[in-house]
Amino acid sequence: MIHECDNTMISDENENRIAVNLINAKLQLLLDRISSAKIVNLAKQPKNIVRFGAEVYFKVDSDPKIQHYQIVGVDEANVAEGKIAFTSPIAKIFMDRKVGDRVTLKLGKAEKQFEIVSIKY
C-alpha cells in the first residue's frame, strides 16, 4: 500500500536529484570555461589590427555617424554599454581587419557595409 506521503517523498527525491544534476552540469561548464580562460594583455595587442579587447570605431553604410563597440568575452558582453562578444557576427567580421577596411555583414537577404575608421585599445 502506497500512501500519499510516500509519493511526495519520492517526488521530492526525484526533484532534488534533478536539481543536483543541473547544478553539477552548470558547475562543470563553469570549470571548463575557467580552465580555458586566457589573460589578454591589451598593451601587447597590435594597435592597427582589430583583436580581442579592441574598441572598433566604424561607419555603417553611407551614414556619417561614427559608432563603436569593444570586443569582449561572452560574460562581459553588454550591447547597451557598447561591448559585444567576440563570438557575435559583427565582432567576427571586424577581427583581423585594419583602419580603412570595409566589411560586409549579411543579414538574411540584406547586407550592411561597415567601414573601420579607428581602433583603440
Side-chain angles (χ1 to χ4, degrees):
M1 176 182 232
I2 297 177
H3 297 284
E4 186 177 325
C5 181
D6 293 337
N7 286 337
T8 302
M9 188 170 19
I10 291 170
S11 178
D12 287 347
E13 286 176 12
N14 285 339
E15 287 178 19
N16 287 341
R17 191 171 321 132
I18 291 168
V20 167
N21 287 340
L22 180 63
I23 290 169
N24 283 335
K26 287 185 176 188
L27 179 60
Q28 188 58 52
L29 287 173
L30 181 59
L31 291 172
D32 290 347
R33 289 190 69 184
I34 290 170
S35 70
S36 66
K38 297 176 184 171
I39 296 173
V40 176
N41 185 343
L42 297 183
K44 292 186 177 182
Q45 293 285 45
K47 303 298 182 221
N48 62 339
I49 299 174
V50 177
R51 297 278 172 86
F52 185 91
E55 285 187 65
V56 183
Y57 292 78
F58 58 91
K59 293 180 185 178
V60 181
D61 294 324
S62 59
D63 186 352
K65 180 182 169 193
I66 295 176
Q67 302 176 44
H68 82 282
Y69 286 121
Q70 182 179 20
I71 300 174
V72 298
V74 175
D75 296 325
E76 301 168 283
N78 184 330
V79 174
E81 293 178 6
K83 296 180 178 188
I84 58 171
F86 70 98
T87 56
S88 69
I90 192 167
K92 287 180 179 181
I93 65 167
F94 285 152
M95 294 300 261
D96 297 319
R97 303 296 183 150
K98 297 179 179 179
V99 171
D101 283 355
R102 292 179 170 273
V103 293
T104 303
L105 178 63
K106 294 182 181 182
L107 304 166
K109 293 181 180 180
E111 293 184 349
K112 288 213 177 255
Q113 295 284 324
F114 296 83
E115 179 184 355
I116 299 172
V117 297
S118 179
I119 303 166
K120 295 181 183 175
Y121 284 93

